[in-house]
Amino acid sequence: MSVFDASDYAAAAQSIVEAGRFLYQRGWSPATSSNYSARLDSQHLAITVSGRHKGALRPEDVMVVDLTGTPVQTRARPSAETGLHTVLYKLFPEVGAVLHTHSVNATVLSRLVPPGDALRLRDYELQKAFEGINTHEGELCVPVFDNTQDIDGLARETRRWFGNHADQPGYLIRGHGLYTWGKTMADCLRHIEAFEFLFECELLTMRTGG
Amino acid sequence: MSVFDASDYAAAAQSIVEAGRFLYQRGWSPATSSNYSARLDSQHLAITVSGRHKGALRPEDVMVVDLTGTPVQTRARPSAETGLHTVLYKLFPEVGAVLHTHSVNATVLSRLVPPGDALRLRDYELQKAFEGINTHEGELCVPVFDNTQDIDGLARETRRWFGNHADQPGYLIRGHGLYTWGKTMADCLRHIEAFEFLFECELLTMRTGG
Amino acid sequence: MSVFDASDYAAAAQSIVEAGRFLYQRGWSPATSSNYSARLDSQHLAITVSGRHKGALRPEDVMVVDLTGTPVQTRARPSAETGLHTVLYKLFPEVGAVLHTHSVNATVLSRLVPPGDALRLRDYELQKAFEGINTHEGELCVPVFDNTQDIDGLARETRRWFGNHADQPGYLIRGHGLYTWGKTMADCLRHIEAFEFLFECELLTMRTGG
Amino acid sequence: MSVFDASDYAAAAQSIVEAGRFLYQRGWSPATSSNYSARLDSQHLAITVSGRHKGALRPEDVMVVDLTGTPVQTRARPSAETGLHTVLYKLFPEVGAVLHTHSVNATVLSRLVPPGDALRLRDYELQKAFEGINTHEGELCVPVFDNTQDIDGLARETRRWFGNHADQPGYLIRGHGLYTWGKTMADCLRHIEAFEFLFECELLTMRTGG
């Protein structure tokens, strides 16, 4: 049986509890939606247990799974979308945290992007909030995958896309929400804030006829 | 005279006080509007006293009525809409809490749905926040009743509709607000959050020309 | 010299400090705008000193004036709009508090109502939040006065209009804000909340093409 | 080497920490964006260190630079936009604080103003929140500069424009954000609130078809 460091788990669980409090308070994880994870080591991650209130998580609402998504040392059931997290940890060894949120803006915008298209963001100073981006002059490309209850299939799609676009920091699922990641939980939260800012800008511009 | 358990009343009153604090803070129960209830037993429910500030409820702002809406062991006057609550407790023995709120989004959306139509919600992952729904692929149907000061008449209309649609989790009253329910107060609050999320998505989509 | 009761002043000042904290936090009194008052007796009112931060009022930021607007027992300068408050206390002996706020919604809506027209609100359940209104079926009429730095002239206009429409609970000044009043500060705050709710509904409906 | 008063630095740092907490909480400084400064004396200012979370600044996240932008008594790296701050302190000896924020509304509005045009604001009572403005009848002119990573060039542009328009209280950078200033930090925060209010009014009016 694979073994993880219990202190790493305790620290990861605490960082997830705090992230949840922040994300729920912002309205980005309503009604027990969303799931969050943090890497423990090369083989394990801590991830939220299925169906909990994200603004009131306790450490016991966070469990450990290995990179195949199998629960380790726990009777709890992980989020149904665990497979979307493990893809990212396997693909990007430097990734330390993955957050999936369900904001109104992400939901609405993802339904407005025509099928097959990606959301393309340009000329926003805030693009510099993403790791490795130093100017507003490039283009951020956010793919929009169709929603499905077949998580294995969606996991394969995301692996394929990000295998070819390792420099892009997140994706949308149509009518569902946002996935983004970062080296640390702080980086990942900064990415969430930046994406939500940009989604709000895009929707507001569309509404204002810009 | 019918008798209820005083500890059940105390617990129900506290759950209603806390629900009010949350719902008022979100802006969903402004200006002393809204009313909330929780079941005590097969014959009694606790319900808010008429006209109180929902963000600053005290336990004494919650009173007991029986399933006919008659006050029990109190001189207080219950909400004028008590009859809309008792219909639901009689129709659904498993229901433990009913919340009625007055958000801007529920109010505006309910006025935009053409008379005779229902609001139909599809392809939102968040539909899974409702009890018993496991996929975004179904359709949520939210009937919109005309507003009236004749609460008895409206109570009959809701009894008739939900007698035939027991799987639907709530309804709107035009220009007025939302009713939803759940097995526990936590379930009911999750339903409110999910409905408000979906209403906001729908209105934002309409405004964005989606 | 006219004399007021110091305890009445202390209580009124405290109610104004608390109202300011609430109204600023809601975003309805930004950037030191707005002014608030509460009646002490048939001859005196407490009113905010000119130019203070409404979210951080201290009791000494509230002063006493008589019904002619003359400061009593103070070196402080009252709000430039004091004359709009005293008109209401003279016209309506039962009024105990007057609040003037500057929300984005009140500002924008007041600029969209055509000159000479009033804002008319119908079929909102929340109209019942106003004193003396028991049904959503009537019409609330909110006059919109042109903005001016001639406060005496505006005071005369409001006296004339409300002399003939004593049942209406408030008015707008174009590009400027809302005035409303009530028997108690709690009533007046309920009216602010109800007006802001209705303004938001109207603007949202206009934007959604309703 | 130029010397500054350490108590002045401590006080300025604290005022910046508090400003950041407020501005982040309002959503105007997301994702480590924005930078803030306060004058210490005729030769020095305190300014935020590059890349910190603006809602959780500590005094050590604020450093001192001289009017050429050179760090004084510190190993820290100042904001990349320090040159935009020093221009203002040199141009306006009475200025005591400069704030640069990144709100959604400032970002979207700055992208909607046609290149070469300024944003012009008229007939808003809240224009009186700006230092030296006593009526809503004048016109506030907010220039919109193109965004660039060439801060020296942009600094020269702003020096030229405000050299000729010393009575105007702020400017926008397209797709980027707002710069404003004031005699004290409190004045500067009032200007931010007033600008954000006016930007929201303008965008809401455009969306409502006003």
Side-chain angles (χ1 to χ4, degrees):
Chain A
M1 192 190 79
S2 71
V3 173
F4 58 85
D5 183 288
S7 299
D8 289 348
Y9 162 58
Q14 184 58 26
S15 76
I16 286 172
V17 165
E18 289 170 12
R21 207 145 46 203
F22 171 75
L23 296 167
Y24 177 80
Q25 185 270 330
R26 286 295 185 96
W28 299 338
S29 292
T32 76
S33 70
S34 303
N35 41 75
Y36 319 135
S37 67
R39 186 193 287 276
L40 301 187
D41 56 42
S42 65
Q43 298 303 315
H44 300 91
L45 50 138
I47 191 163
T48 41
V49 172
S50 183
R52 300 296 159 88
H53 187 303
K54 295 307 180 296
L57 290 174
R58 291 156 306 168
E60 61 265 38
D61 297 326
V62 179
M63 59 184 289
V64 178
V65 299
D66 64 22
L67 285 194
T68 71
T70 308
V72 180
Q73 275 183 258
T74 179
R75 289 157 316 214
R77 190 166 61 90
S79 164
E81 297 179 25
T82 299
L84 300 177
H85 290 249
T86 54
V87 157
L88 294 162
Y89 289 104
K90 283 187 281 192
L91 204 55
F92 303 126
E94 74 280 15
V95 160
V98 175
L99 294 171
H100 168 47
T101 47
H102 285 228
S103 73
V104 164
N105 285 331
T107 299
V108 169
L109 193 54
S110 69
R111 288 164 61 111
L112 292 173
V113 172
D117 268 18
L119 175 69
R120 293 171 191 283
L121 302 163
R122 284 189 203 87
D123 290 329
Y124 288 105
E125 180 71 9
L126 218 80
Q127 294 172 222
K128 291 164 66 180
F130 293 102
E131 190 70 26
I133 297 185
N134 298 310
T135 172
H136 64 284
E137 284 161 0
E139 181 182 88
L140 203 67
C141 176
V142 189
V144 183
F145 299 103
D146 286 335
N147 197 18
T148 173
Q149 302 302 320
D150 169 17
I151 297 300
D152 288 347
L154 182 53
R156 281 191 299 273
E157 271 194 87
T158 61
R159 187 187 317 126
R160 201 152 44 220
W161 202 90
F162 286 96
N164 293 322
H165 302 82
D167 55 331
Q168 296 302 322
Y171 64 87
L172 290 165
I173 309 174
R174 198 180 312 285
H176 180 152
L178 168 71
Y179 268 87
T180 188
W181 45 89
K183 286 183 184 165
T184 65
M185 186 59 81
D187 288 333
C188 195
L189 286 165
R190 193 182 67 241
H191 289 178
I192 291 265
E193 274 196 273
F195 270 127
E196 289 294 339
F197 179 94
L198 295 168
F199 296 161
E200 194 177 344
C201 285
E202 286 290 296
L203 276 168
L204 186 50
T205 302
M206 290 165 79
R207 292 207 297 285
T208 316
Chain B
M1 192 189 82
S2 71
V3 172
F4 58 85
D5 183 287
S7 299
D8 289 348
Y9 162 59
Q14 184 57 25
S15 77
I16 286 173
V17 164
E18 288 170 12
R21 208 145 47 204
F22 171 75
L23 296 168
Y24 176 80
Q25 186 269 330
R26 286 295 184 96
W28 299 338
S29 291
T32 77
S33 70
S34 302
N35 41 74
Y36 320 135
S37 67
R39 186 194 288 274
L40 301 187
D41 56 43
S42 65
Q43 298 303 316
H44 300 91
L45 49 138
I47 192 163
T48 41
V49 172
S50 184
R52 299 296 159 86
H53 187 303
K54 296 306 181 295
L57 290 175
R58 292 156 306 168
E60 61 265 39
D61 297 325
V62 179
M63 60 183 289
V64 178
V65 298
D66 64 21
L67 284 194
T68 70
T70 308
V72 180
Q73 273 183 260
T74 179
R75 290 159 314 215
R77 189 165 62 89
S79 164
E81 297 179 25
T82 299
L84 299 176
H85 290 249
T86 54
V87 157
L88 295 162
Y89 288 103
K90 284 186 282 193
L91 205 54
F92 302 127
E94 73 281 14
V95 162
V98 176
L99 294 171
H100 167 48
T101 47
H102 286 228
S103 73
V104 164
N105 285 332
T107 299
V108 169
L109 193 54
S110 69
R111 288 164 61 110
L112 292 173
V113 172
D117 268 18
L119 176 69
R120 293 170 192 286
L121 302 162
R122 283 189 203 87
D123 290 329
Y124 288 106
E125 180 71 9
L126 218 79
Q127 294 171 222
K128 291 164 67 179
F130 293 102
E131 190 71 25
I133 298 184
N134 299 310
T135 173
H136 65 284
E137 284 161 1
E139 180 182 88
L140 203 66
C141 176
V142 188
V144 183
F145 298 104
D146 287 335
N147 197 17
T148 174
Q149 302 301 319
D150 169 16
I151 297 301
D152 287 348
L154 182 53
R156 281 190 298 272
E157 271 194 86
T158 61
R159 186 187 318 126
R160 203 155 40 223
W161 202 90
F162 285 95
N164 293 322
H165 302 83
D167 55 330
Q168 297 301 322
Y171 64 87
L172 289 164
I173 309 174
R174 200 180 312 285
H176 181 152
L178 168 70
Y179 269 86
T180 188
W181 45 89
K183 285 183 186 166
T184 65
M185 184 60 81
D187 289 332
C188 195
L189 286 165
R190 193 182 69 239
H191 289 179
I192 291 265
E193 275 197 273
F195 270 127
E196 288 295 339
F197 180 95
L198 295 169
F199 296 161
E200 192 176 347
C201 285
E202 286 289 296
L203 276 168
L204 185 50
T205 302
M206 290 165 78
R207 292 207 296 285
T208 315
Chain C
M1 190 189 81
S2 71
V3 173
F4 58 85
D5 183 287
S7 298
D8 289 349
Y9 162 58
Q14 185 58 26
S15 77
I16 286 172
V17 165
E18 289 170 11
R21 208 144 48 203
F22 171 75
L23 295 168
Y24 177 80
Q25 185 269 329
R26 285 297 184 96
W28 299 337
S29 292
T32 77
S33 70
S34 303
N35 40 75
Y36 319 134
S37 67
R39 187 194 287 275
L40 301 187
D41 55 42
S42 64
Q43 298 302 317
H44 301 92
L45 49 139
I47 191 163
T48 41
V49 172
S50 183
R52 300 295 158 86
H53 187 303
K54 295 307 180 296
L57 291 174
R58 293 155 305 168
E60 61 266 38
D61 297 326
V62 179
M63 59 183 291
V64 178
V65 298
D66 65 20
L67 284 194
T68 71
T70 308
V72 180
Q73 274 183 260
T74 179
R75 289 159 316 214
R77 190 164 62 88
S79 163
E81 296 180 25
T82 299
L84 299 177
H85 290 249
T86 54
V87 156
L88 295 162
Y89 289 104
K90 283 188 282 193
L91 205 54
F92 303 126
E94 73 281 14
V95 161
V98 176
L99 295 171
H100 168 48
T101 47
H102 285 229
S103 73
V104 164
N105 285 332
T107 298
V108 169
L109 193 55
S110 69
R111 288 164 62 112
L112 292 173
V113 172
D117 268 19
L119 176 69
R120 293 170 191 285
L121 302 162
R122 284 188 203 88
D123 290 329
Y124 288 106
E125 180 71 8
L126 218 79
Q127 294 172 222
K128 291 164 68 180
F130 293 102
E131 190 71 24
I133 298 184
N134 299 310
T135 173
H136 64 284
E137 284 161 0
E139 181 182 88
L140 203 66
C141 176
V142 189
V144 183
F145 299 104
D146 286 335
N147 197 16
T148 174
Q149 302 302 319
D150 169 17
I151 297 300
D152 288 348
L154 183 52
R156 281 191 298 273
E157 272 195 86
T158 61
R159 187 186 317 125
R160 203 153 41 221
W161 203 90
F162 285 96
N164 293 321
H165 302 83
D167 55 330
Q168 296 302 322
Y171 64 87
L172 289 165
I173 309 174
R174 199 180 311 285
H176 180 152
L178 168 71
Y179 269 87
T180 188
W181 45 89
K183 287 184 185 166
T184 65
M185 184 59 81
D187 288 333
C188 196
L189 287 165
R190 193 182 69 241
H191 289 179
I192 291 265
E193 275 197 274
F195 270 127
E196 289 295 339
F197 180 95
L198 295 169
F199 296 161
E200 193 176 345
C201 285
E202 286 289 296
L203 277 168
L204 186 50
T205 303
M206 289 165 79
R207 292 207 297 286
T208 316
Chain D
M1 191 190 82
S2 71
V3 173
F4 59 84
D5 183 288
S7 298
D8 289 348
Y9 162 58
Q14 184 58 26
S15 76
I16 286 172
V17 165
E18 289 170 12
R21 208 144 47 202
F22 171 75
L23 296 167
Y24 177 80
Q25 185 270 330
R26 285 297 184 96
W28 300 337
S29 291
T32 77
S33 70
S34 302
N35 41 75
Y36 319 135
S37 67
R39 186 193 288 275
L40 301 187
D41 56 43
S42 64
Q43 298 303 316
H44 300 92
L45 50 138
I47 191 163
T48 42
V49 172
S50 184
R52 299 296 158 86
H53 187 303
K54 296 307 181 295
L57 290 175
R58 291 156 306 167
E60 61 266 38
D61 297 326
V62 180
M63 59 183 289
V64 178
V65 299
D66 64 22
L67 285 195
T68 70
T70 308
V72 180
Q73 273 183 260
T74 179
R75 289 159 316 216
R77 190 165 61 89
S79 163
E81 297 179 25
T82 298
L84 300 178
H85 289 248
T86 54
V87 157
L88 294 162
Y89 289 104
K90 284 188 281 193
L91 203 55
F92 302 125
E94 74 280 14
V95 161
V98 176
L99 294 171
H100 168 48
T101 47
H102 286 229
S103 73
V104 164
N105 285 331
T107 299
V108 169
L109 193 55
S110 69
R111 289 164 61 110
L112 292 173
V113 172
D117 268 18
L119 176 68
R120 294 171 191 283
L121 302 163
R122 283 189 204 87
D123 290 330
Y124 288 105
E125 180 71 9
L126 218 80
Q127 294 172 220
K128 291 163 66 179
F130 293 102
E131 190 70 25
I133 297 185
N134 299 310
T135 173
H136 64 283
E137 284 161 359
E139 181 182 270
L140 203 67
C141 176
V142 189
V144 183
F145 298 105
D146 285 336
N147 198 17
T148 174
Q149 302 303 317
D150 170 16
I151 297 300
D152 288 347
L154 182 52
R156 281 191 299 273
E157 272 195 86
T158 61
R159 188 189 315 127
R160 202 154 42 222
W161 202 89
F162 285 96
N164 292 321
H165 302 82
D167 55 331
Q168 296 301 322
Y171 64 86
L172 289 165
I173 309 174
R174 199 181 311 286
H176 181 153
L178 167 70
Y179 268 87
T180 189
W181 45 89
K183 287 184 186 165
T184 65
M185 185 59 83
D187 289 332
C188 195
L189 287 164
R190 193 182 67 240
H191 289 179
I192 292 264
E193 274 196 274
F195 270 127
E196 289 295 338
F197 180 94
L198 295 168
F199 296 161
E200 193 177 345
C201 284
E202 286 289 296
L203 277 168
L204 185 51
T205 302
M206 290 165 80
R207 292 207 298 285
T208 316

